[in-house]
Amino acid sequence: MAIPKGHRFEVSFDLAFPKGLVLVGELAPDNEYQENKNREPRQKVDPVSGLRQWVGTVTDPDETKAKRASFQVTFLAEVQPVPTTAELVPGLGMRQIILEGLTAEPRVTGNGEYKYQGWLFRATGFKASGAGANKTPAVKPAETKAADASKAA
């Protein structure tokens, strides 16, 4: 059995981005290319879901290669998704985000002989703030007691 070209794999946000993502700027409509610049732009529609496409630039703090750290995520929704988290530094437009409905589609990326496996990420929106936006792991009470006991000894 072969996996068809363009297959979208559902993936959990925490698996794909263990350190989270930072949205840089705002989302914008993903418009079709128009040769005539005087024509009104037409927003792309996803052929699978029938929803409008929006794009946002994100940065992955877990990526070690600068070329791959920033990329675009396509959002599929009838209305423009709005991030639910506050800006990290007011006025810069950068905010930590968690995506909902995340899918990944494999693709070949790069130029000439320097091609590599890349991913096209799509999401349906943002998770509400406070729903795991702070990725600091909680310490279990049993672990705390064991640590306190070892310090006392």
Side-chain angles (χ1 to χ4, degrees), residues 2 37 145:
K37 301 294 179 190
K145 290 179 186 175

Side-chain angles (χ1 to χ4, degrees), residues 109-125:
T109 313
N111 295 324
E113 61 186 73
Y114 302 104
K115 294 186 180 189
Y116 56 92
Q117 172 73 53
W119 300 96
L120 174 60
F121 289 102
R122 292 182 181 88
T124 56

Side-chain angles (χ1 to χ4, degrees), residues 3-4 6-12 102-106 119 121-122:
I3 298 173
H7 181 76
R8 300 174 185 181
F9 295 92
E10 290 183 24
V11 62
S12 78
L102 184 65
T103 62
E105 179 183 329
W119 300 96
F121 289 102
R122 292 182 181 88

